[in-house]
Amino acid sequence: MLVAPLYDGHEPADVFHQATSWLDGIHRQLTHGGDVHVAMQTLHRGLFHLRRQWSRKDWRHFCLEHARVHPLRELLHQCPFTRHGYERPRGYAGDAALIDYLYAECVGAEGHLQPGGHIYRFMYQQPSPRSVRERRTLLAREIDAVAARTHMPRLLSVACGHLRESELSHAVKEHHIGDFIAFDQDPMSLTEVTRQHPNNAIRPVCGSVRALLTGRTVFGHLDLAYSAGLYDYLSDNTARRLTQILFGMLNPGGRLMVANFATCPEAGYLEAFMDWWLIYRDEDQMQALTLDIDPTQIAATHMFRDSEQNVIYLALDRR
């Protein structure tokens, strides 16, 4: 078993050398017919360990100056999911096309050069991708729940991506939604939303978070506003201000729901080989997002984690 290096009193340069040698060993395993699952599991656990043990400065240095130029990266990028995350074809991290890789195993992935297909299958089965799929199901249930208690409700999804949760919603399929606004900065994402809903069940609106923050784009009279993956990229100040603004758009009895990764067992791999950096928040940090909201306007606050314990959901009901 290849083990990630420890500091053990060594100078950072020595530890970086040890870590690079460790990556060499993983590379040999993957290029000489070793078990891909075992090698990937060793890699993930080792990277998670290094990320937790090292200072943020040393970890970033290792990712940018060592892992990024290591031949292992080229091999890992035979996995279409890993390569897409690193290359950012739409110009930003975590785009909707990348998330689609996590919703359903892509049939064509196994056709990529080996071991790329096996690496993709390994990634698909990891805890954080399972959390992403659970998030989709949970949001679809939330859409159905608001439609069950409110006649023809008005909904807003912020940074909606491909809005895949709507494809699981019975209320959307049965036309029980009055107005469903799909808000995103990416026109390609909105084109896919329109393609999936040609009967005008969803209203795509192209715009940025900045437009919401500055008041250039305003929505109102919402029965449900939610954001699935946006908060993972927002600073505390921006996230708190956006929470206040979205809450202010709700009808009495309306609900705001936001999701944020609290932890990610695959974070070391995402950062080292996909250049994908999220902002993680715990329960106290999620609760702090409500500080700019008048507490007398909050009827109830709900906070919970998903079954994998990776994602925190914050739901605020307006009085």
Side-chain angles (χ1 to χ4, degrees):
M1 174 71 72
L2 293 168
V3 181
L6 298 169
Y7 266 117
D8 288 339
H10 295 290
E11 292 296 321
D14 295 331
V15 177
F16 292 144
H17 177 74
Q18 293 176 31
T20 300
S21 297
W22 173 69
L23 294 180
D24 291 341
I26 300 290
H27 184 259
R28 284 193 297 272
Q29 281 190 336
L30 290 172
T31 54
H32 289 81
D35 187 297
V36 173
H37 181 88
V38 171
M40 289 297 293
Q41 196 168 53
T42 301
L43 177 64
H44 274 249
R45 289 175 177 174
L47 291 173
F48 182 82
H49 166 77
L50 292 179
R51 182 181 183 272
R52 183 171 55 183
Q53 183 191 39
W54 289 359
S55 69
R56 184 168 181 82
K57 178 182 177 182
D58 286 345
W59 170 248
R60 288 189 66 91
H61 176 84
F62 170 72
C63 291
L64 300 179
E65 303 297 332
H66 297 269
R68 179 173 291 191
V69 300
H70 195 278
L72 179 59
R73 180 180 68 82
E74 184 176 351
L75 189 151
L76 295 173
H77 284 190
Q78 292 179 20
C79 163
F81 169 75
T82 303
R83 184 177 64 251
H84 186 107
Y86 182 81
E87 293 180 347
R88 302 185 181 187
R90 296 194 184 183
Y92 60 95
D95 65 45
L98 180 70
I99 303 304
D100 274 354
Y101 278 108
L102 304 181
Y103 285 149
E105 278 193 90
C106 297
V107 176
E110 289 297 327
H112 285 70
L113 294 174
Q114 295 299 332
H118 293 304
I119 294 171
Y120 168 63
R121 175 168 290 180
F122 174 88
M123 295 300 300
Y124 180 85
Q125 295 169 345
Q126 295 312 294
S128 296
R130 293 200 298 267
S131 287
V132 170
R133 292 191 288 276
E134 183 176 337
R135 185 178 66 187
R136 180 192 185 194
T137 301
L138 187 150
L139 291 173
R141 291 173 180 168
E142 190 66 30
I143 292 168
D144 290 345
V146 71
R149 66 176 179 264
T150 304
H151 177 67
M152 301 300 284
R154 180 173 164 87
L155 280 58
L156 169 66
S157 175
V158 180
C160 65
H162 289 163
L163 202 72
R164 296 299 188 196
E165 63 272 11
S166 66
E167 298 167 25
L168 302 181
S169 166
H170 297 293
V172 171
K173 293 177 183 177
E174 297 166 8
H175 308 288
H176 293 163
I177 305 298
D179 187 20
F180 198 151
I181 305 163
F183 185 76
D184 202 281
Q185 67 172 359
D186 189 342
M188 294 179 67
S189 291
L190 297 179
T191 297
E192 174 62 13
V193 171
T194 301
R195 188 185 73 81
Q196 289 291 334
H197 301 279
N199 59 354
N200 298 319
I202 310 294
R203 179 160 63 96
V205 176
C206 192
S208 66
V209 172
R210 181 178 293 276
L212 293 173
L213 295 173
T214 59
R216 293 199 308 272
T217 299
V218 178
F219 303 105
H221 305 292
L222 301 173
D223 298 295
L224 174 65
Y226 70 89
S227 186
L230 174 64
Y231 277 65
D232 298 312
Y233 304 93
L234 300 181
S235 69
D236 288 343
N237 288 339
T238 299
R240 193 167 71 183
R241 175 62 177 151
L242 182 62
T243 301
Q244 178 192 37
I245 289 172
L246 294 177
F247 185 83
M249 295 179 181
L250 298 175
N251 282 324
R255 170 169 288 189
L256 170 64
M257 176 174 281
V258 299
N260 206 127
F261 267 88
T263 184
C264 173
E266 300 77 49
Y269 182 89
L270 300 186
E271 293 170 0
F273 291 105
M274 296 178 67
D275 195 27
W276 192 6
W277 306 75
L278 301 181
I279 296 174
Y280 301 96
R281 291 185 171 91
D282 60 20
E283 280 79 2
D284 289 342
Q285 291 168 316
M286 291 295 285
Q287 185 65 45
L289 300 182
T290 69
L291 291 177
D292 291 338
I293 299 174
D294 180 353
T296 66
Q297 294 300 309
I298 301 177
T301 300
H302 314 272
M303 195 182 305
F304 60 95
R305 292 200 183 205
D306 69 351
S307 64
E308 299 286 343
Q309 300 297 304
N310 292 325
V311 177
I312 297 178
Y313 294 86
L314 172 65
L316 303 173
D317 296 336
R318 184 163 185 177
R319 195 177 301 280

